[in-house]
Amino acid sequence: MSRWLWFLFATLLVAPLAAAELKPLPMRPAPVLQLPGLDGVDMNLRQLRGKVVLVNFWAVWCPPCRKEMPSMARLMTKLADKPFAILGVNEGESPDEIRAFLKQVPVNFPILLDSEGEHLKPWQVFAFPTSYVVDKQGRLRLGLFGSIEWDSPEAIAQLGKLLAEAD
């Protein structure tokens, strides 16, 4: 089965079965994440040390991914004065496809291009969307397979606990 057929299968069949809530993870260093941005600027997760970072793996063809994007943009706006960042990691789609989607659903955070899916395995991405929250020290703290409303009071409360931690 091709890689993209597998992801489609996993997204359509596995993701809806998963409970859509942020789950605490065993604390460990976040995997490396260094990719070109849709804007042409390379981004490295290490550049964001000192911030809580939401890393969201998504694809334009993924309905739950499309649905949660506006809530991530609202979350970014709500937490604009906090040490917080979002990185949207697109998997295997062309910049033109992504830009066409973003004309319909604008975002206020960087979109990174993982055109070959090289970060899927180290980040343990098996379905879209998959999201991780990295703390200020660069450690994985929360994870989610599936979509949520990122600007919900529950999600903001969980992120707020990490934001309140010392650097």
Side-chain angles (χ1 to χ4, degrees):
M1 180 182 298
S2 82
R3 180 176 60 141
W4 295 115
L5 284 176
W6 166 246
F7 285 123
L8 180 59
F9 169 79
T11 299
L12 295 176
L13 297 179
V14 177
L17 301 176
E21 67 179 70
L22 278 167
K23 305 271 190 199
L25 298 173
M27 209 180 315
R28 64 181 176 90
V32 171
L33 184 64
Q34 183 171 350
L35 290 165
L38 185 62
D39 61 2
V41 177
D42 284 1
M43 174 67 73
N44 187 331
L45 179 61
R46 297 185 92 198
Q47 293 171 293
L48 299 174
R49 285 278 166 91
K51 293 185 178 191
V52 172
V53 183
L54 167 58
V55 180
N56 177 263
F57 292 86
W58 70 285
V60 169
W61 55 260
C62 164
C65 302
R66 296 170 71 97
K67 184 177 186 279
E68 77 176 350
M69 281 293 206
S71 71
M72 286 191 288
R74 292 189 304 266
L75 176 66
M76 192 67 236
T77 299
K78 285 182 180 183
L79 298 180
D81 63 338
K82 307 282 187 216
F84 178 74
I86 298 175
L87 298 176
V89 182
N90 182 274
E91 295 302 325
E93 295 171 315
S94 74
D96 288 342
E97 290 173 292
I98 299 165
R99 285 187 188 98
F101 168 71
L102 294 176
K103 283 183 183 176
Q104 300 168 8
V105 182
V107 298
N108 51 358
F109 51 87
I111 300 297
L112 307 183
L113 307 173
D114 190 6
S115 58
E116 300 299 320
E118 65 189 67
H119 289 82
L120 297 176
K121 187 174 181 181
W123 281 84
Q124 299 179 357
V125 176
F126 302 106
F128 295 131
T130 294
S131 300
Y132 291 98
V133 179
V134 178
D135 70 13
K136 294 175 184 177
Q137 289 79 35
R139 301 172 299 195
L140 293 177
R141 296 292 294 275
L142 302 169
L144 169 71
F145 302 106
S147 66
I148 62 171
E149 288 295 313
W150 284 100
D151 61 337
S152 71
E154 298 82 13
I156 290 174
Q158 284 185 282
L159 295 170
K161 289 177 187 175
L162 295 179
L163 287 165
E165 291 179 356
D167 290 351

